[in-house]
């Protein structure tokens, strides 16, 4: 039943009177109505018509969230105009979005900055439903082509997240820093923008999609700017074993000790699904659905200041692994690829045991016990390995990673270890996995059969053992320090 990963990453480095202790957050996974692929730009009216069709669906979700008492709702990246654009064809979809410092409620004063029907409609949705609305739209800023950095067509186009408060006021604007491959219609700002704002229910920070794999602004918002909750519009294509949306985003919440509101687009043919309201101590609720094309609203109550009570924030992740003696590495150490990274693996040959596997500066230690009923029968063809990777990932973006992982191979052929697998039937009674990582930004992931998360089934304790309980026993495991 278990495909397990312990995913670690060193990221690429290059006031209010009525404070609430809790609040209700919503995220909406949206099946975006896409524009037709075209080489010639559509008219502004055609662009607006398409955006309004998407906003109609988002409006319904915003109303439902507000009726259920949500204080804030996040909608996805590209959730209003989709994708498949060039610099020319994105143009009719863009509006000029002012700096929030101007103190503007578009719903009350729609003409103040020209004609901005999308901003006005979003502001009105927030105001009329008394809810904070987070959306992703395109911003354009004209520049003088004789200035350094100004694009040849004389404008910067930005993939932009906007936030309207419950009175419809624009309170945050964030331009995506780490554009993904193919986002050639957009420009990245010259340096990462750190965007945060305070509410009666905590301090919020915002970034978009691929940004989550880098230090700035993502980690900086938490470490240097003390945000409680991350707002995360995304259009995330799932990549197993380590980078499925719900898997990585819930782990980020846990690893950084913050709430994480992740709103994804929904399109199964692109493996886009997986949204959730994550907090450091609670995985989910979340939505993941490869069987239908439906959008979905996820709502949950959250603690406003999770870092006050988070047991994870400030953990020394490598403490345990740095002090134990190495286990044997097994007789069958080999190399294999996980999403283009060459891992060092060793096969788990016994029903229970302990192994250490190292690569470069990283050593990973595993102790495990398969479930008794299970260990001797069937599933013989299910091969599990422990793997270590310490290096630079270079495909679809560059970032340095350290990963310790326990995973199921696709088939009994060891050459398939590291390929995407989404089902497993072997049961583990328990395991612990640790690594002597050289970073303190560590994201513990556990993914079960059929891409399910494992709420209440594992714990990372202060001694840095990750233990998973055999779920049939329905125990919540907590482990004592093993010294
Ligand atoms: C652009 O910059 C150049 C050089 O500084 C200046 O001569 C020109 O007038 C500027 N153009 C506009 C439209 O501002
Ligand atoms: C929780 O954290 C917030 C902001 O970080 C702080 O203002 C508040 O006093 C803390 N509350 C407690 C009970 O520690
Ligand atoms: C991890 O452990 C290995 C083996 O003891 C050691 O060579 C390596 O330097 C350690 N790495 C860190 C970051 O401490």
């Amino acid at each position: 039943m278990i495909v397990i990963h312990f995913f670690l990453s060193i990221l690429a480095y290059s006031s209010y009177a009525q404070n609430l202790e809790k609040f209700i957050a919503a995220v909406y996974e949206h099946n975006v109505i896409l524009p037709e692929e075209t080489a010639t730009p559509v008219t502004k009216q055609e662009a607006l018509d398409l955006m309004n069709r998407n906003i109609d669906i988002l409006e319904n979700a915003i109303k439902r969230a507000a009726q259920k008492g949500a204080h804030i709702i996040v909608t996805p990246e590209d959730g209003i105009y989709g994708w498949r654009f060039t610099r020319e064809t994105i143009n009719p979809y863009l509006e000029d979005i002012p700096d929030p410092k101007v103190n503007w409620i578009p719903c009350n004063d729609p003409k103040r900055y020209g004609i901005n029907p999308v901003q006005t409609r979003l502001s009105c949705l927030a105001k009329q439903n008394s809810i904070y609305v987070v959306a992703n739209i395109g911003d354009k800023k004209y520049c003088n082509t004789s200035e350094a950095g100004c694009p040849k067509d004389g404008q910067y186009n930005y993939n932009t997240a906007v936030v309207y408060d419950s009175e419809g006021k624009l309170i945050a604007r964030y331009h995506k820093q780490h554009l993904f491959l193919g986002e050639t219609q957009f420009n990245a700002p010259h340096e990462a923008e750190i965007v945060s704002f305070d509410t009666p229910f905590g301090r919020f920070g915002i970034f978009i999609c691929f940004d989550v794999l880098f230090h700035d602004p993502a980690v900086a918002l938490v470490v240097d700017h003390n945000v409680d909750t991350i707002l995360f519009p995304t259009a995330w294509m799932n990549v197993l074993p380590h980078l499925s949306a719900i898997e990585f985003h819930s782990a980020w919440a846990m690893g950084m000790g913050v709430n994480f509101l992740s709103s994804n687009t929904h399109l199964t043919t692109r493996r886009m699904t997986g949204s959730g309201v994550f907090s450091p101590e609670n995985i989910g609720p979340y939505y993941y659905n490869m069987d239908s094309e439906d959008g979905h609203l996820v709502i949950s109550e959250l603690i406003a200041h999770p870092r006050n009570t988070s047991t994870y924030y400030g953990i020394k992740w490598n403490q345990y692994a740095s002090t134990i003696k190495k286990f044997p590495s097994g007789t069958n150490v080999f190399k294999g690829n996980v999403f283009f990274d060459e891992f060092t693996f060793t096969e788990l040959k016994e029903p229970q045991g302990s192994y250490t596997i190292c690569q470069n500066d990283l050593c990973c230690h595993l102790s495990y016990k398969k479930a008794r009923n299970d260990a001797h029968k069937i599933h013989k063809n299910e091969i599990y390995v422990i793997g270590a990777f310490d290096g630079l990932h270079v495909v679809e973006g560059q970032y340095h990673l350290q990963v310790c992982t326990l995973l199921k191979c696709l088939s009994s052929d060891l050459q398939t270890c590291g390929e995407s697998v989404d089902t497993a039937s072997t049961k583990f009674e328990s395991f612990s996995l640790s690594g002597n990582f050289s970073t303190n930004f560590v994201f513990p992931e556990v993914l079960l059969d059929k891409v399910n998360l494992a709420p209440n089934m594992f714990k990372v304790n202060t001694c840095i053992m990750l233990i998973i309980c055999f779920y049939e026993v329905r125990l919540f495991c907590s482990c004592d320090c093993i010294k």
Side-chain angles (χ1 to χ4, degrees):
M1 87 176 178
I2 290 178
V3 184
I4 308 127
H5 316 291
F6 189 78
F7 178 54
L8 273 271
S9 114
I10 305 184
L11 304 164
Y13 293 103
S14 21
S15 44
Y16 286 79
Q18 234 191 333
N19 285 319
L20 302 176
E21 277 178 25
K22 292 184 171 174
F23 69 105
I24 298 175
V27 300
Y28 183 65
E29 181 158 314
H30 174 43
N31 182 347
V32 186
I33 302 166
L34 295 171
E36 305 227 349
E37 207 155 0
T38 167
T40 30
V42 298
T43 64
K44 263 197 141 345
Q45 188 58 46
E46 285 165 331
L48 183 58
D49 289 345
L50 177 96
M51 293 193 282
N52 274 327
R53 285 168 66 204
N54 277 305
I55 301 175
D56 289 345
I57 299 169
L58 300 181
E59 173 169 1
N60 182 289
I62 291 165
K63 285 189 169 145
R64 279 188 291 141
Q67 277 157 12
K68 292 185 177 174
H71 296 83
I72 186 163
I73 179 167
V74 186
T75 63
E77 181 186 25
D78 302 332
I80 290 178
Y81 46 63
W83 46 80
R84 302 194 285 223
F85 293 112
T86 62
R87 285 189 74 82
E88 293 74 39
T89 59
I90 191 71
N91 207 25
Y93 295 86
L94 306 176
E95 292 186 357
D96 191 336
I97 307 168
D99 187 317
K101 273 190 252 165
V102 300
N103 209 357
W104 182 36
I105 301 179
C107 192
N108 296 357
D109 189 3
K111 299 277 159 61
R112 184 163 146 198
Y113 293 99
I115 298 175
N116 295 297
V118 175
Q119 293 174 78
T120 302
R121 189 165 174 203
L122 292 170
S123 160
C124 290
L125 286 174
K127 181 182 168 181
Q128 286 154 9
N129 295 286
S130 293
I131 184 172
Y132 284 64
V133 170
V134 183
N136 177 239
I137 53 181
D139 187 12
K140 65 172 173 197
K141 291 283 171 279
Y142 296 118
C143 53
N144 186 332
T145 50
S146 59
E147 278 164 22
C150 179
K152 283 199 220 65
D153 54 8
Q155 69 186 52
Y156 292 105
N157 299 341
Y158 297 115
N159 177 335
T160 309
V162 285
V163 185
Y164 299 93
D165 73 8
S166 51
E167 286 165 2
K169 185 162 88 181
L170 176 69
I171 54 163
R173 178 191 69 178
Y174 168 73
H175 297 135
K176 185 180 183 182
Q177 183 64 36
H178 299 282
L179 298 170
F180 197 60
L181 293 187
E183 273 191 283
T184 49
Q185 72 271 36
F186 291 121
N187 303 103
H190 295 308
E191 57 184 56
E193 299 175 356
I194 303 281
V195 175
S196 67
F197 58 92
D198 290 307
T199 73
F201 40 98
R203 177 169 295 175
F204 286 71
I206 189 162
F207 54 83
I208 302 172
C209 202
F210 197 39
D211 286 331
V212 73
L213 285 167
F214 300 87
H215 185 278
D216 290 337
V219 171
L221 276 168
V222 180
V223 174
D224 303 330
H225 300 271
N226 297 313
V227 303
D228 298 295
T229 301
I230 296 293
L231 303 168
F232 186 67
T234 187
W236 191 279
M237 287 176 278
N238 294 320
V239 181
L240 290 173
H242 298 138
L243 286 174
S244 186
I246 50 172
E247 174 190 29
F248 186 54
H249 304 150
S250 61
W252 209 92
M254 187 183 271
M256 299 303 295
V258 290
N259 300 320
F260 195 94
L261 310 184
S262 167
S263 165
N264 202 356
T265 51
H266 188 92
L267 185 61
T268 58
T269 52
R270 278 197 162 206
R271 303 183 320 278
M272 285 171 163
T273 179
S275 302
V277 177
F278 301 116
S279 67
E281 315 291 322
N282 274 315
I283 294 176
Y286 62 91
Y287 178 67
Y288 174 93
N289 186 343
M290 285 292 283
D291 299 327
S292 94
E293 292 306 330
D294 297 338
H296 192 77
L297 185 66
V298 181
I299 301 191
S300 185
E301 187 175 66
L302 290 170
I303 295 169
H305 302 289
R307 292 170 72 199
N308 288 359
T309 48
S310 170
T311 47
Y312 300 115
Y313 192 74
I315 272 185
K316 290 211 175 6
W317 289 94
N318 62 10
Q319 183 182 308
Y320 170 78
S322 304
T323 52
I324 64 167
K325 233 176 103 195
K326 279 192 194 177
F327 302 124
S329 59
T331 52
N332 192 8
V333 176
F334 61 100
K335 295 282 169 76
N337 280 311
V338 179
F339 192 40
F340 307 102
D341 298 327
E342 191 179 68
F343 277 57
T344 305
F345 288 130
T346 192
E347 185 186 347
L348 314 189
K349 292 206 160 166
E350 308 297 330
Q352 66 182 79
S354 296
Y355 291 98
T356 292
I357 195 88
C358 300
Q359 187 182 97
N360 299 334
D361 238 9
L362 175 70
C363 286
C364 305
H365 311 285
L366 172 75
S367 295
Y368 69 96
K369 189 175 180 192
K370 290 185 184 171
R372 200 176 300 128
N373 298 342
D374 221 50
H376 304 293
K377 58 173 196 192
I378 52 168
H379 319 316
K380 280 217 184 76
N381 57 342
E382 291 208 331
I383 307 283
Y384 281 78
V385 291
I386 167 182
F389 176 77
D390 178 12
L392 185 67
H393 175 90
V394 294
V395 176
E396 295 188 350
Q398 290 206 355
Y399 37 93
H400 189 215
L401 290 172
Q402 291 188 318
V403 182
C404 290
T405 188
L406 162 59
L407 52 79
K408 195 195 112 175
C409 304
L410 180 61
S411 73
S412 54
D413 177 357
L414 291 179
Q415 300 221 332
T416 66
C417 299
E419 289 181 27
S420 291
V421 185
D422 56 13
T423 59
S425 45
T426 300
K427 289 176 179 158
F428 284 80
E429 191 171 299
S430 67
F431 75 85
S432 75
L433 184 62
S434 61
N436 67 341
F437 308 108
S438 39
T439 174
N440 222 14
F441 304 120
V442 171
F443 309 111
E445 300 185 334
V446 177
L447 197 62
L448 308 180
D449 183 33
K450 302 195 179 79
V451 194
N452 282 294
L453 298 180
N456 296 342
M457 287 169 59
F458 73 101
K459 197 167 173 67
V460 182
N461 84 358
T462 50
C463 301
I464 323 315
M465 290 284 286
L466 176 72
I467 300 259
I468 182 153
C469 284
F470 182 29
Y471 78 49
E472 292 197 334
V473 181
R474 296 198 186 283
L475 270 179
F476 184 81
C477 262
S478 71
C479 53
D480 295 322
C481 294
I482 298 171
K483 290 204 169 128

